Amino acid sequence: MSVHSESRENDKIVIIESFTGCRDGIEFSWEEARDFKIGEFVYYLDGFKDPDSIFSQDHLSWMIRFKTGDGQEYTASQLYFVTNEVWCNLENFLKNDFRFE
């Protein structure tokens, strides 16, 4: 399962790993970069296979184009995201069923 195969345009998705990125189409620079945090909600736009990926496995080469609440568009690896449904399931599990042993 992946955000790319389970999401439609403007679906809410959730960041599960912190990362730093620049707006879509802008070459990375620290001056232009924005930090994204675990638990932040963004909106799926589309997905595409990174043509420059060195990975042969499909799940590692898929990128997600998404927008933030202020309408800015960004791109990042699909590995940084889950669907809102998966996020809610994880939240419920951690609140109710998780036991660290």
Side-chain angles (χ1 to χ4, degrees):
M1 294 195 281
S2 71
V3 166
H4 171 65
S5 63
E6 296 179 17
S7 299
R8 295 184 186 264
E9 187 173 356
N10 292 315
D11 279 355
K12 187 186 289 187
I13 58 176
V14 188
I15 295 170
I16 58 168
E17 179 66 34
S18 297
F19 65 94
T20 301
C22 287
R23 289 189 319 272
D24 194 33
I26 295 179
E27 187 173 330
F28 183 85
S29 76
W30 289 108
E31 294 78 29
E32 296 289 328
R34 175 184 170 188
D35 292 329
F36 291 90
K37 305 291 183 203
I38 295 172
E40 187 174 344
F41 290 94
V42 294
Y43 301 90
Y44 178 88
L45 293 175
D46 62 15
F48 62 94
K49 193 164 184 159
D50 182 358
D52 298 324
S53 177
I54 60 170
F55 300 106
S56 60
Q57 298 95 344
D58 280 348
H59 68 283
L60 294 176
S61 60
W62 279 96
M63 303 294 287
I64 299 300
R65 187 172 294 109
F66 63 97
K67 68 179 176 182
T68 55
D70 63 2
Q72 298 293 315
E73 295 183 12
Y74 295 83
T75 302
S77 170
Q78 79 161 350
L79 300 176
Y80 291 127
F81 307 95
V82 293
T83 63
N84 190 48
E85 179 182 8
V86 169
W87 179 258
C88 290
N89 290 340
L90 286 169
E91 223 175 19
N92 287 332
F93 172 76
L94 292 172
K95 285 180 187 174
N96 302 316
D97 300 322
F98 179 73
R99 303 287 182 262
F100 185 76
E101 296 179 19

Short mmCIF file of all heavy atoms in Angstrom, two decimals, residues 22-80:
data_model
loop_
_atom_site.label_atom_id
_atom_site.label_comp_id
_atom_site.label_asym_id
_atom_site.label_seq_id
_atom_site.Cartn_x
_atom_site.Cartn_y
_atom_site.Cartn_z
N CYS A 22 12.32 22.16 -0.77
CA CYS A 22 11.99 23.43 -1.43
C CYS A 22 10.75 23.24 -2.28
O CYS A 22 10.38 22.13 -2.64
CB CYS A 22 13.15 23.88 -2.32
SG CYS A 22 14.56 24.48 -1.39
N ARG A 23 10.12 24.36 -2.62
CA ARG A 23 8.93 24.30 -3.46
C ARG A 23 9.23 23.55 -4.77
O ARG A 23 10.37 23.56 -5.25
CB ARG A 23 8.41 25.70 -3.76
CG ARG A 23 7.78 26.35 -2.54
CD ARG A 23 7.07 27.66 -2.85
NE ARG A 23 7.75 28.53 -3.79
CZ ARG A 23 8.67 29.44 -3.45
NH1 ARG A 23 9.02 29.61 -2.20
NH2 ARG A 23 9.21 30.19 -4.38
N ASP A 24 8.22 22.93 -5.31
CA ASP A 24 8.35 22.16 -6.53
C ASP A 24 8.92 23.04 -7.64
O ASP A 24 8.46 24.17 -7.85
CB ASP A 24 6.98 21.61 -6.94
CG ASP A 24 7.07 20.54 -8.00
OD1 ASP A 24 8.06 19.79 -8.00
OD2 ASP A 24 6.14 20.46 -8.82
N GLY A 25 9.93 22.54 -8.33
CA GLY A 25 10.54 23.27 -9.44
C GLY A 25 11.67 24.20 -9.04
O GLY A 25 12.32 24.79 -9.90
N ILE A 26 11.92 24.34 -7.73
CA ILE A 26 13.00 25.21 -7.26
C ILE A 26 14.16 24.34 -6.82
O ILE A 26 13.99 23.39 -6.04
CB ILE A 26 12.53 26.10 -6.10
CG1 ILE A 26 11.47 27.07 -6.59
CG2 ILE A 26 13.70 26.85 -5.47
CD1 ILE A 26 10.92 27.98 -5.53
N GLU A 27 15.35 24.63 -7.32
CA GLU A 27 16.53 23.89 -6.91
C GLU A 27 16.76 24.08 -5.41
O GLU A 27 16.56 25.18 -4.88
CB GLU A 27 17.75 24.38 -7.70
CG GLU A 27 18.98 23.57 -7.47
CD GLU A 27 20.11 23.97 -8.38
OE1 GLU A 27 19.86 24.42 -9.51
OE2 GLU A 27 21.27 23.82 -7.94
N PHE A 28 17.17 23.02 -4.73
CA PHE A 28 17.32 23.09 -3.28
C PHE A 28 18.35 24.12 -2.87
O PHE A 28 19.44 24.21 -3.41
CB PHE A 28 17.72 21.73 -2.70
CG PHE A 28 17.80 21.76 -1.20
CD1 PHE A 28 16.66 21.56 -0.46
CD2 PHE A 28 18.99 22.04 -0.55
CE1 PHE A 28 16.71 21.61 0.93
CE2 PHE A 28 19.05 22.10 0.83
CZ PHE A 28 17.91 21.88 1.57
N SER A 29 17.96 24.92 -1.89
CA SER A 29 18.88 25.82 -1.19
C SER A 29 18.33 26.01 0.22
O SER A 29 17.11 26.00 0.42
CB SER A 29 19.00 27.17 -1.90
OG SER A 29 17.87 27.98 -1.66
N TRP A 30 19.22 26.14 1.18
CA TRP A 30 18.77 26.29 2.57
C TRP A 30 17.96 27.57 2.75
O TRP A 30 17.06 27.63 3.59
CB TRP A 30 19.95 26.25 3.53
CG TRP A 30 20.53 24.88 3.62
CD1 TRP A 30 21.71 24.44 3.10
CD2 TRP A 30 19.92 23.74 4.24
NE1 TRP A 30 21.87 23.10 3.36
CE2 TRP A 30 20.80 22.65 4.06
CE3 TRP A 30 18.72 23.53 4.92
CZ2 TRP A 30 20.51 21.38 4.55
CZ3 TRP A 30 18.45 22.26 5.41
CH2 TRP A 30 19.33 21.19 5.22
N GLU A 31 18.24 28.59 1.96
CA GLU A 31 17.51 29.85 2.07
C GLU A 31 16.05 29.70 1.64
O GLU A 31 15.17 30.39 2.15
CB GLU A 31 18.18 30.95 1.24
CG GLU A 31 19.55 31.37 1.72
CD GLU A 31 20.65 30.38 1.33
OE1 GLU A 31 20.53 29.70 0.29
OE2 GLU A 31 21.62 30.26 2.10
N GLU A 32 15.79 28.82 0.69
CA GLU A 32 14.44 28.61 0.17
C GLU A 32 13.73 27.43 0.83
O GLU A 32 12.54 27.23 0.61
CB GLU A 32 14.50 28.35 -1.34
CG GLU A 32 15.01 29.51 -2.15
CD GLU A 32 14.01 30.67 -2.20
OE1 GLU A 32 12.79 30.42 -2.17
OE2 GLU A 32 14.47 31.82 -2.26
N ALA A 33 14.45 26.66 1.64
CA ALA A 33 13.92 25.40 2.16
C ALA A 33 12.92 25.60 3.30
O ALA A 33 12.94 26.60 4.01
CB ALA A 33 15.07 24.53 2.65
N ARG A 34 12.09 24.60 3.45
CA ARG A 34 11.11 24.56 4.53
C ARG A 34 11.23 23.22 5.23
O ARG A 34 11.44 22.19 4.59
CB ARG A 34 9.71 24.72 3.96
CG ARG A 34 8.66 24.55 5.03
CD ARG A 34 7.27 24.60 4.51
NE ARG A 34 6.41 24.18 5.61
CZ ARG A 34 5.14 23.95 5.51
NH1 ARG A 34 4.54 24.12 4.35
NH2 ARG A 34 4.44 23.56 6.54
N ASP A 35 11.08 23.21 6.54
CA ASP A 35 11.10 21.97 7.32
C ASP A 35 9.68 21.43 7.44
O ASP A 35 8.75 22.18 7.73
CB ASP A 35 11.66 22.21 8.72
CG ASP A 35 13.13 22.56 8.71
OD1 ASP A 35 13.85 22.07 7.82
OD2 ASP A 35 13.57 23.30 9.61
N PHE A 36 9.53 20.13 7.23
CA PHE A 36 8.26 19.43 7.40
C PHE A 36 8.40 18.50 8.59
O PHE A 36 9.43 17.86 8.77
CB PHE A 36 7.90 18.65 6.14
CG PHE A 36 7.55 19.54 4.98
CD1 PHE A 36 8.53 19.95 4.09
CD2 PHE A 36 6.25 19.98 4.79
CE1 PHE A 36 8.22 20.79 3.03
CE2 PHE A 36 5.93 20.81 3.74
CZ PHE A 36 6.92 21.22 2.86
N LYS A 37 7.38 18.43 9.42
CA LYS A 37 7.42 17.69 10.68
C LYS A 37 6.47 16.50 10.68
O LYS A 37 5.43 16.52 10.01
CB LYS A 37 7.04 18.61 11.85
CG LYS A 37 7.87 19.87 11.95
CD LYS A 37 9.27 19.56 12.36
CE LYS A 37 10.05 20.86 12.52
NZ LYS A 37 11.44 20.69 12.39
N ILE A 38 6.79 15.51 11.49
CA ILE A 38 5.92 14.35 11.67
C ILE A 38 4.55 14.81 12.17
O ILE A 38 4.46 15.66 13.05
CB ILE A 38 6.54 13.36 12.68
CG1 ILE A 38 7.84 12.78 12.12
CG2 ILE A 38 5.56 12.25 13.05
CD1 ILE A 38 8.62 11.96 13.12
N GLY A 39 3.51 14.27 11.56
CA GLY A 39 2.14 14.60 11.95
C GLY A 39 1.54 15.77 11.20
O GLY A 39 0.35 16.06 11.36
N GLU A 40 2.33 16.42 10.36
CA GLU A 40 1.82 17.56 9.58
C GLU A 40 0.94 17.05 8.45
O GLU A 40 1.29 16.11 7.74
CB GLU A 40 3.00 18.36 9.02
CG GLU A 40 2.62 19.63 8.35
CD GLU A 40 3.84 20.45 7.95
OE1 GLU A 40 4.95 20.20 8.43
OE2 GLU A 40 3.64 21.36 7.13
N PHE A 41 -0.23 17.66 8.28
CA PHE A 41 -1.14 17.31 7.20
C PHE A 41 -0.83 18.16 5.97
O PHE A 41 -0.62 19.37 6.09
CB PHE A 41 -2.60 17.58 7.61
CG PHE A 41 -3.09 16.63 8.65
CD1 PHE A 41 -3.03 16.97 10.00
CD2 PHE A 41 -3.62 15.39 8.30
CE1 PHE A 41 -3.49 16.11 10.98
CE2 PHE A 41 -4.07 14.52 9.27
CZ PHE A 41 -4.01 14.87 10.61
N VAL A 42 -0.81 17.51 4.81
CA VAL A 42 -0.65 18.19 3.53
C VAL A 42 -1.66 17.54 2.57
O VAL A 42 -2.38 16.63 2.95
CB VAL A 42 0.80 18.09 3.00
CG1 VAL A 42 1.76 18.85 3.90
CG2 VAL A 42 1.25 16.64 2.85
N TYR A 43 -1.69 17.99 1.33
CA TYR A 43 -2.69 17.52 0.38
C TYR A 43 -2.04 16.94 -0.87
O TYR A 43 -1.25 17.61 -1.54
CB TYR A 43 -3.64 18.66 0.01
CG TYR A 43 -4.33 19.19 1.24
CD1 TYR A 43 -3.79 20.22 1.98
CD2 TYR A 43 -5.50 18.58 1.70
CE1 TYR A 43 -4.39 20.67 3.14
CE2 TYR A 43 -6.12 19.03 2.85
CZ TYR A 43 -5.55 20.07 3.57
OH TYR A 43 -6.15 20.50 4.73
N TYR A 44 -2.40 15.70 -1.16
CA TYR A 44 -1.86 14.97 -2.31
C TYR A 44 -2.29 15.65 -3.60
O TYR A 44 -3.45 16.02 -3.77
CB TYR A 44 -2.40 13.54 -2.27
CG TYR A 44 -1.98 12.67 -3.42
CD1 TYR A 44 -0.80 11.96 -3.37
CD2 TYR A 44 -2.77 12.56 -4.56
CE1 TYR A 44 -0.41 11.14 -4.43
CE2 TYR A 44 -2.39 11.75 -5.61
CZ TYR A 44 -1.21 11.05 -5.54
OH TYR A 44 -0.84 10.26 -6.58
N LEU A 45 -1.35 15.82 -4.53
CA LEU A 45 -1.68 16.31 -5.86
C LEU A 45 -1.54 15.20 -6.89
O LEU A 45 -2.45 14.91 -7.63
CB LEU A 45 -0.80 17.50 -6.23
CG LEU A 45 -1.04 18.76 -5.40
CD1 LEU A 45 -0.03 19.85 -5.76
CD2 LEU A 45 -2.46 19.26 -5.59
N ASP A 46 -0.36 14.59 -6.94
CA ASP A 46 -0.15 13.45 -7.83
C ASP A 46 1.17 12.78 -7.48
O ASP A 46 1.88 13.23 -6.58
CB ASP A 46 -0.21 13.84 -9.32
CG ASP A 46 0.87 14.84 -9.73
OD1 ASP A 46 1.85 15.04 -8.98
OD2 ASP A 46 0.74 15.42 -10.82
N GLY A 47 1.46 11.72 -8.18
CA GLY A 47 2.70 10.99 -7.96
C GLY A 47 3.35 10.68 -9.29
O GLY A 47 2.69 10.63 -10.33
N PHE A 48 4.66 10.50 -9.25
CA PHE A 48 5.39 10.17 -10.47
C PHE A 48 6.65 9.41 -10.10
O PHE A 48 7.15 9.51 -8.98
CB PHE A 48 5.72 11.43 -11.27
CG PHE A 48 6.62 12.40 -10.53
CD1 PHE A 48 7.99 12.36 -10.69
CD2 PHE A 48 6.07 13.35 -9.68
CE1 PHE A 48 8.81 13.25 -10.00
CE2 PHE A 48 6.87 14.25 -9.00
CZ PHE A 48 8.24 14.20 -9.16
N LYS A 49 7.13 8.64 -11.04
CA LYS A 49 8.36 7.90 -10.84
C LYS A 49 9.53 8.82 -11.14
O LYS A 49 9.58 9.45 -12.20
CB LYS A 49 8.39 6.67 -11.73
CG LYS A 49 9.46 5.70 -11.37
CD LYS A 49 9.23 4.36 -12.01
CE LYS A 49 10.30 3.43 -11.52
NZ LYS A 49 9.97 2.07 -11.64
N ASP A 50 10.46 8.91 -10.20
CA ASP A 50 11.63 9.77 -10.36
C ASP A 50 12.51 9.22 -11.48
O ASP A 50 13.07 8.13 -11.35
CB ASP A 50 12.40 9.82 -9.05
CG ASP A 50 13.61 10.72 -9.09
OD1 ASP A 50 13.91 11.30 -10.16
OD2 ASP A 50 14.28 10.85 -8.05
N PRO A 51 12.67 9.96 -12.56
CA PRO A 51 13.47 9.45 -13.68
C PRO A 51 14.96 9.35 -13.35
O PRO A 51 15.69 8.63 -14.02
CB PRO A 51 13.21 10.46 -14.80
CG PRO A 51 12.81 11.70 -14.10
CD PRO A 51 12.11 11.27 -12.83
N ASP A 52 15.40 10.04 -12.32
CA ASP A 52 16.82 10.03 -11.94
C ASP A 52 17.13 9.06 -10.81
O ASP A 52 18.25 9.02 -10.32
CB ASP A 52 17.26 11.44 -11.52
CG ASP A 52 17.13 12.44 -12.65
OD1 ASP A 52 17.38 12.05 -13.82
OD2 ASP A 52 16.77 13.59 -12.38
N SER A 53 16.15 8.29 -10.38
CA SER A 53 16.33 7.39 -9.25
C SER A 53 17.38 6.32 -9.55
O SER A 53 17.41 5.76 -10.64
CB SER A 53 15.02 6.71 -8.88
OG SER A 53 15.24 5.80 -7.83
N ILE A 54 18.22 6.06 -8.56
CA ILE A 54 19.22 5.00 -8.70
C ILE A 54 18.68 3.66 -8.19
O ILE A 54 19.34 2.64 -8.28
CB ILE A 54 20.53 5.35 -7.95
CG1 ILE A 54 20.25 5.54 -6.46
CG2 ILE A 54 21.18 6.57 -8.56
CD1 ILE A 54 21.49 5.65 -5.60
N PHE A 55 17.47 3.69 -7.63
CA PHE A 55 16.88 2.49 -7.06
C PHE A 55 16.08 1.74 -8.12
O PHE A 55 15.36 2.34 -8.91
CB PHE A 55 15.95 2.85 -5.89
CG PHE A 55 16.66 3.56 -4.79
CD1 PHE A 55 16.47 4.92 -4.60
CD2 PHE A 55 17.53 2.88 -3.96
CE1 PHE A 55 17.13 5.59 -3.58
CE2 PHE A 55 18.20 3.54 -2.95
CZ PHE A 55 18.00 4.90 -2.75
N SER A 56 16.17 0.43 -8.09
CA SER A 56 15.43 -0.36 -9.06
C SER A 56 14.04 -0.72 -8.54
O SER A 56 13.15 -1.01 -9.33
CB SER A 56 16.20 -1.64 -9.40
OG SER A 56 16.39 -2.42 -8.23
N GLN A 57 13.85 -0.72 -7.22
CA GLN A 57 12.54 -1.06 -6.67
C GLN A 57 11.56 0.09 -6.89
O GLN A 57 11.89 1.24 -6.61
CB GLN A 57 12.63 -1.36 -5.17
CG GLN A 57 13.51 -2.52 -4.83
CD GLN A 57 14.92 -2.08 -4.48
OE1 GLN A 57 15.31 -0.97 -4.76
NE2 GLN A 57 15.66 -2.97 -3.87
N ASP A 58 10.37 -0.24 -7.33
CA ASP A 58 9.37 0.78 -7.62
C ASP A 58 9.03 1.65 -6.42
O ASP A 58 8.88 2.85 -6.55
CB ASP A 58 8.10 0.15 -8.17
CG ASP A 58 8.23 -0.20 -9.63
OD1 ASP A 58 9.18 0.26 -10.27
OD2 ASP A 58 7.35 -0.90 -10.12
N HIS A 59 8.87 1.07 -5.24
CA HIS A 59 8.43 1.86 -4.09
C HIS A 59 9.44 2.91 -3.66
O HIS A 59 9.08 3.91 -3.04
CB HIS A 59 8.06 0.95 -2.91
CG HIS A 59 9.23 0.24 -2.31
ND1 HIS A 59 9.81 -0.86 -2.90
CD2 HIS A 59 9.93 0.50 -1.19
CE1 HIS A 59 10.82 -1.27 -2.14
NE2 HIS A 59 10.91 -0.47 -1.12
N LEU A 60 10.71 2.75 -4.00
CA LEU A 60 11.72 3.73 -3.64
C LEU A 60 11.85 4.87 -4.64
O LEU A 60 12.42 5.91 -4.34
CB LEU A 60 13.08 3.05 -3.46
CG LEU A 60 13.19 2.07 -2.31
CD1 LEU A 60 14.56 1.40 -2.33
CD2 LEU A 60 12.95 2.76 -0.98
N SER A 61 11.33 4.69 -5.82
CA SER A 61 11.51 5.70 -6.86
C SER A 61 10.28 6.58 -7.08
O SER A 61 10.34 7.52 -7.86
CB SER A 61 11.92 5.04 -8.18
OG SER A 61 10.93 4.14 -8.61
N TRP A 62 9.18 6.30 -6.37
CA TRP A 62 7.98 7.11 -6.54
C TRP A 62 8.06 8.38 -5.71
O TRP A 62 8.42 8.35 -4.53
CB TRP A 62 6.73 6.34 -6.17
CG TRP A 62 6.29 5.44 -7.27
CD1 TRP A 62 6.57 4.12 -7.40
CD2 TRP A 62 5.52 5.81 -8.41
NE1 TRP A 62 6.02 3.64 -8.57
CE2 TRP A 62 5.37 4.66 -9.20
CE3 TRP A 62 4.96 7.01 -8.84
CZ2 TRP A 62 4.67 4.66 -10.41
CZ3 TRP A 62 4.26 7.02 -10.03
CH2 TRP A 62 4.12 5.85 -10.80
N MET A 63 7.73 9.48 -6.33
CA MET A 63 7.70 10.78 -5.67
C MET A 63 6.26 11.26 -5.59
O MET A 63 5.42 10.92 -6.43
CB MET A 63 8.52 11.80 -6.47
CG MET A 63 9.97 11.38 -6.69
SD MET A 63 10.91 11.33 -5.16
CE MET A 63 11.09 13.08 -4.85
N ILE A 64 5.98 12.05 -4.57
CA ILE A 64 4.65 12.61 -4.36
C ILE A 64 4.72 14.13 -4.50
O ILE A 64 5.57 14.77 -3.90
CB ILE A 64 4.13 12.26 -2.94
CG1 ILE A 64 4.03 10.75 -2.76
CG2 ILE A 64 2.80 12.96 -2.66
CD1 ILE A 64 3.12 10.05 -3.72
N ARG A 65 3.85 14.67 -5.32
CA ARG A 65 3.68 16.12 -5.40
C ARG A 65 2.51 16.45 -4.49
O ARG A 65 1.45 15.85 -4.56
CB ARG A 65 3.40 16.56 -6.84
CG ARG A 65 3.39 18.07 -7.00
CD ARG A 65 3.31 18.49 -8.47
NE ARG A 65 4.50 18.11 -9.20
CZ ARG A 65 4.57 17.15 -10.12
NH1 ARG A 65 3.51 16.46 -10.45
NH2 ARG A 65 5.70 16.87 -10.74
N PHE A 66 2.73 17.41 -3.58
CA PHE A 66 1.71 17.75 -2.60
C PHE A 66 1.68 19.26 -2.39
O PHE A 66 2.59 19.97 -2.80
CB PHE A 66 1.98 17.02 -1.27
CG PHE A 66 3.28 17.41 -0.60
CD1 PHE A 66 3.29 18.37 0.41
CD2 PHE A 66 4.47 16.83 -0.96
CE1 PHE A 66 4.48 18.73 1.04
CE2 PHE A 66 5.67 17.19 -0.34
CZ PHE A 66 5.66 18.13 0.66
N LYS A 67 0.60 19.72 -1.76
CA LYS A 67 0.51 21.15 -1.44
C LYS A 67 0.27 21.31 0.05
O LYS A 67 -0.32 20.44 0.71
CB LYS A 67 -0.54 21.87 -2.26
CG LYS A 67 -1.96 21.48 -1.96
CD LYS A 67 -2.93 22.28 -2.83
CE LYS A 67 -4.34 21.80 -2.58
NZ LYS A 67 -5.31 22.48 -3.42
N THR A 68 0.72 22.42 0.55
CA THR A 68 0.55 22.77 1.96
C THR A 68 -0.73 23.58 2.12
O THR A 68 -1.37 23.95 1.14
CB THR A 68 1.76 23.56 2.46
OG1 THR A 68 1.95 24.70 1.61
CG2 THR A 68 3.04 22.71 2.42
N GLY A 69 -1.08 23.88 3.35
CA GLY A 69 -2.28 24.66 3.63
C GLY A 69 -2.28 26.03 2.98
O GLY A 69 -3.35 26.58 2.69
N ASP A 70 -1.08 26.58 2.74
CA ASP A 70 -1.01 27.90 2.10
C ASP A 70 -0.94 27.81 0.58
O ASP A 70 -0.73 28.81 -0.10
CB ASP A 70 0.18 28.70 2.65
CG ASP A 70 1.53 28.06 2.37
OD1 ASP A 70 1.59 27.00 1.71
OD2 ASP A 70 2.54 28.62 2.83
N GLY A 71 -1.14 26.60 0.03
CA GLY A 71 -1.20 26.42 -1.42
C GLY A 71 0.13 26.24 -2.12
O GLY A 71 0.16 26.07 -3.34
N GLN A 72 1.23 26.23 -1.38
CA GLN A 72 2.55 26.02 -2.00
C GLN A 72 2.71 24.54 -2.35
O GLN A 72 2.27 23.66 -1.61
CB GLN A 72 3.67 26.44 -1.04
CG GLN A 72 3.64 27.92 -0.68
CD GLN A 72 3.95 28.80 -1.88
OE1 GLN A 72 4.85 28.54 -2.65
NE2 GLN A 72 3.16 29.85 -2.03
N GLU A 73 3.34 24.27 -3.49
CA GLU A 73 3.52 22.89 -3.95
C GLU A 73 4.95 22.43 -3.74
O GLU A 73 5.90 23.18 -3.98
CB GLU A 73 3.13 22.77 -5.42
CG GLU A 73 1.65 23.03 -5.64
CD GLU A 73 1.21 22.86 -7.08
OE1 GLU A 73 1.99 22.32 -7.91
OE2 GLU A 73 0.08 23.25 -7.38
N TYR A 74 5.09 21.16 -3.30
CA TYR A 74 6.38 20.55 -3.01
C TYR A 74 6.38 19.13 -3.56
O TYR A 74 5.33 18.59 -3.90
CB TYR A 74 6.61 20.48 -1.50
CG TYR A 74 6.73 21.82 -0.83
CD1 TYR A 74 5.59 22.54 -0.47
CD2 TYR A 74 7.96 22.38 -0.55
CE1 TYR A 74 5.68 23.78 0.15
CE2 TYR A 74 8.07 23.62 0.07
CZ TYR A 74 6.93 24.31 0.41
OH TYR A 74 7.04 25.53 1.02
N THR A 75 7.56 18.52 -3.60
CA THR A 75 7.71 17.14 -4.01
C THR A 75 8.65 16.44 -3.04
O THR A 75 9.66 17.01 -2.63
CB THR A 75 8.31 17.06 -5.44
OG1 THR A 75 7.46 17.76 -6.33
CG2 THR A 75 8.46 15.63 -5.90
N ALA A 76 8.30 15.19 -2.67
CA ALA A 76 9.16 14.40 -1.79
C ALA A 76 8.88 12.92 -2.03
O ALA A 76 7.85 12.55 -2.61
CB ALA A 76 8.91 14.75 -0.33
N SER A 77 9.78 12.08 -1.55
CA SER A 77 9.62 10.63 -1.68
C SER A 77 8.33 10.18 -1.01
O SER A 77 7.96 10.65 0.07
CB SER A 77 10.80 9.93 -1.01
OG SER A 77 10.56 8.54 -0.93
N GLN A 78 7.64 9.21 -1.62
CA GLN A 78 6.40 8.70 -1.04
C GLN A 78 6.64 8.05 0.32
O GLN A 78 5.70 7.88 1.09
CB GLN A 78 5.74 7.72 -1.99
CG GLN A 78 6.33 6.34 -2.00
CD GLN A 78 5.37 5.33 -2.59
OE1 GLN A 78 4.21 5.60 -2.82
NE2 GLN A 78 5.89 4.15 -2.82
N LEU A 79 7.88 7.71 0.64
CA LEU A 79 8.18 7.06 1.92
C LEU A 79 7.96 7.98 3.12
O LEU A 79 7.90 7.51 4.25
CB LEU A 79 9.62 6.54 1.91
CG LEU A 79 9.93 5.51 0.83
CD1 LEU A 79 11.41 5.14 0.84
CD2 LEU A 79 9.06 4.28 0.98
N TYR A 80 7.80 9.27 2.89
CA TYR A 80 7.57 10.24 3.97
C TYR A 80 6.10 10.40 4.35
O TYR A 80 5.79 11.17 5.25
CB TYR A 80 8.10 11.62 3.57
CG TYR A 80 9.60 11.72 3.48
CD1 TYR A 80 10.20 12.19 2.33
CD2 TYR A 80 10.41 11.35 4.54
CE1 TYR A 80 11.58 12.31 2.23
CE2 TYR A 80 11.79 11.46 4.45
CZ TYR A 80 12.36 11.94 3.30
OH TYR A 80 13.73 12.06 3.21
#
